[in-house]
Amino acid sequence: MTTEQKEKILKKVKKNAGIPETVTVYDERIEDLIPDAIIEMRTGGVPQSIIDEGSPAVITAISHYVCYEMAGDIGETKTANWHFAKFERKVFRLSLEQPGATMEGLV
């Protein structure tokens, strides 16, 4: 993954998590969690080619994983569990997709 892709994902994940762009105190933690999310997605059966497409569904899954971990860091178990359940559902759906078959053009 290129530096440009990582920055793009960081920006989108922060937006999805409700963290303003100007707040950078969480950036390092989020940057550490993005590869973890990708590993979890691969372990869950999501093809690397689907992840590489960087579709909104992939970004949403990564965002849920990041929110899950960060909520867990501060003891917000209910919120963490909610995000993890959303992450698991998104990973399951993504694992069924064929490369190049994202729904981006249909929405």
Side-chain angles (χ1 to χ4, degrees):
M1 189 176 293
T2 68
T3 304
E4 184 179 310
Q5 288 172 317
K6 288 179 184 179
E7 288 174 10
K8 182 179 174 183
I9 290 173
L10 174 65
K11 184 177 178 179
K12 288 183 177 185
V13 167
K14 284 176 68 171
K15 182 178 180 181
N16 289 348
I19 301 170
E21 277 188 57
T22 55
V23 176
T24 59
V25 69
Y26 303 109
D27 286 6
E28 186 176 345
R29 177 71 172 133
I30 294 170
E31 288 170 349
D32 289 344
L33 291 172
I34 290 170
D36 290 349
I38 291 169
I39 290 168
E40 289 292 326
M41 291 169 70
R42 290 289 295 130
T43 303
V46 179
Q48 186 65 45
S49 57
I50 296 290
I51 295 169
D52 290 343
E53 288 176 20
S55 71
V58 169
I59 301 300
T60 299
I62 293 171
S63 297
H64 280 301
Y65 184 84
V66 168
C67 288
Y68 153 70
E69 287 287 347
M70 291 181 75
D73 288 349
I74 60 171
E76 290 287 335
T77 354
K78 185 176 179 180
T79 302
N81 290 338
W82 184 84
H83 280 290
F84 190 71
K86 297 289 267 183
F87 173 75
E88 284 182 316
R89 282 194 296 267
K90 191 62 81 173
V91 166
F92 174 72
R93 289 183 186 128
L94 287 168
S95 72
L96 301 176
E97 281 195 25
Q98 297 299 314
T102 60
M103 303 292 286
E104 283 186 57
L106 301 175
V107 181

